[in-house]
């Protein structure tokens, strides 16, 4: 049977880091159901998982868990799947003619590994060189947060952030570096609590060695207040 073959393929992969496209894999009917309908379905699924594990959902501490998890999935940690929640990043004319790179560093990343649905926690560092337009600083944080709030692999997240800013700012000169811990590695499997994963995506002028080096020097500055 095909389903048996599918499970065999998954078992063969084990904990290997498998990637797909740079776009989040979505079904064509992903938004057919309302958020409320999704919450109701997920709530039943979570209840079934907990009951299968032998938990007593009549206990006061557990009886609200299926509902809380379902709402969290739809409204919070996977909210970045909904294009209606995509931040509107208005741009402004670069009237002051600032021509050097602008770096927004230490942007907090909370995401979820799509292989085990465990947290990814880290920092993103983003930079761009204006091509005549600038974007509000907080919008850069919001773009990172939007693409992080979905089942992810870190490589894809890094690429998606850069592509979105390139589109918003109409320039190829965008860079992103992410340094993050994956709890699927830190808390299970090999359980290496100290390791982190670093990914990068460099566009336009940031592909040049000197420009890339300048960006990396900036994000290594020890900023304290």
């Amino acid at each position: 049977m095909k389903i048996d073959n599918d499970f065999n393929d998954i078992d063969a992969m084990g904990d290997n880091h498998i990637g797909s496209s740079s776009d989040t894999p979505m079904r064509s009917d992903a938004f057919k159901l309302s958020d409320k309908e999704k919450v109701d379905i997920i709530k039943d699924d979570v209840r079934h998982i907990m009951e299968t594990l032998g938990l007593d959902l009549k206990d006061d501490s557990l009886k609200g868990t299926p509902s809380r998890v379902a709402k969290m999935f739809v409204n919070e940690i996977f909210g970045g799947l909904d294009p209606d929640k995509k931040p509107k990043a208005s741009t402004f004319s670069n009237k002051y003619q600032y021509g050097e790179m602008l770096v927004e560093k230490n942007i907090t990343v909370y995401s979820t590994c799509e292989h085990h649905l465990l947290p990814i926690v880290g920092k993103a560092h983003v930079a761009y060189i204006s091509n005549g337009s600038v974007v509000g600083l907080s919008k850069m944080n919001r773009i990172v947060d939007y693409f992080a709030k979905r089942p992810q692999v870190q490589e894809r997240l890094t690429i998606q952030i850069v592509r979105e800013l390139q589109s918003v700012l109409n320039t190829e000169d965008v860079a992103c570096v992410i340094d993050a811990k994956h709890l699927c590695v830190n808390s299970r499997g090999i359980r290496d609590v100290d390791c982190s994963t670093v990914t990068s995506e460099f566009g336009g002028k940031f592909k040049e060695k000197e420009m890339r080096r300048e960006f990396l020097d900036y994000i290594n500055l020890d900023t304290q207040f």
Side-chain angles (χ1 to χ4, degrees):
M1 293 178 63
K2 182 179 185 302
I3 191 167
D4 290 334
N5 291 335
D6 288 343
F7 281 122
N8 288 336
D9 290 343
I10 292 171
D11 287 339
M13 288 179 190
D15 286 339
N16 290 334
H17 193 127
I18 305 299
S20 55
S21 72
S22 57
D23 295 322
T24 301
M26 299 288 289
R27 296 202 323 268
S28 59
D29 62 348
F31 306 106
K32 183 177 179 180
L33 299 175
S34 69
D35 283 357
K36 183 182 183 306
E37 289 172 319
K38 291 179 180 180
V39 167
D40 288 340
I41 293 170
I42 294 171
K43 180 170 61 177
D44 288 340
D45 291 338
V46 174
R47 180 184 297 111
H48 181 236
I49 290 171
M50 296 179 69
E51 288 174 343
T52 301
L53 290 171
L55 295 168
D56 181 4
L57 268 67
K58 295 189 293 294
D59 185 271
D60 287 342
S61 180
L62 296 178
K63 62 184 179 183
T65 299
S67 178
R68 285 191 292 268
V69 171
K71 290 177 180 177
M72 176 185 69
F73 275 15
V74 174
N75 300 323
E76 296 181 66
I77 66 172
F78 297 144
L81 294 172
D82 186 349
D84 289 338
K85 295 180 180 179
K86 186 176 180 178
K88 293 177 173 58
S90 301
T91 58
F92 310 92
S93 176
N94 183 10
K95 294 181 179 179
Y96 26 81
Q97 299 299 305
Y98 181 73
E100 301 298 321
M101 73 175 71
L102 184 147
V103 181
E104 184 84 353
K105 66 176 190 171
N106 294 330
I107 301 172
T108 299
V109 172
Y110 285 112
S111 191
T112 304
C113 166
E114 68 181 38
H115 299 136
H116 294 92
L117 296 186
L118 285 171
I120 300 171
V121 182
K123 297 290 183 181
H125 314 283
V126 182
Y128 72 90
I129 301 170
S130 175
N131 190 28
S133 298
V134 295
V135 67
L137 295 179
S138 67
K139 296 301 183 184
M140 298 168 72
N141 299 63
R142 293 182 190 280
I143 286 170
V144 171
D145 187 58
Y146 171 72
F147 286 104
K149 284 184 174 176
R150 52 181 67 179
Q152 275 288 17
V153 293
Q154 189 172 319
E155 299 94 324
R156 182 195 297 133
L157 174 59
T158 311
I159 293 169
Q160 288 177 336
I161 292 167
V162 168
R163 287 185 177 175
E164 178 64 15
L165 280 168
Q166 286 174 331
S167 175
V168 166
L169 291 161
N170 191 31
T171 179
E172 291 295 307
D173 303 333
V174 178
C176 178
V177 171
I178 297 178
D179 183 5
K181 284 181 172 288
H182 294 236
L183 266 69
C184 57
V185 175
N186 302 137
S187 68
R188 59 159 299 282
I190 191 66
R191 290 187 294 176
D192 188 336
V193 298
D194 292 323
C195 77
S196 67
T197 301
V198 179
T199 51
S200 63
E201 178 73 4
F202 300 109
K205 294 179 181 177
F206 286 97
K207 292 184 180 293
E208 300 171 7
K209 184 176 180 180
E210 289 185 6
M211 191 67 70
R212 186 165 64 246
R213 180 71 264 165
E214 182 180 345
F215 169 53
L216 297 175
D217 286 344
Y218 278 141
I219 67 177
N220 283 323
L221 289 174
D222 185 15
T223 306
Q224 295 182 358
F225 297 97

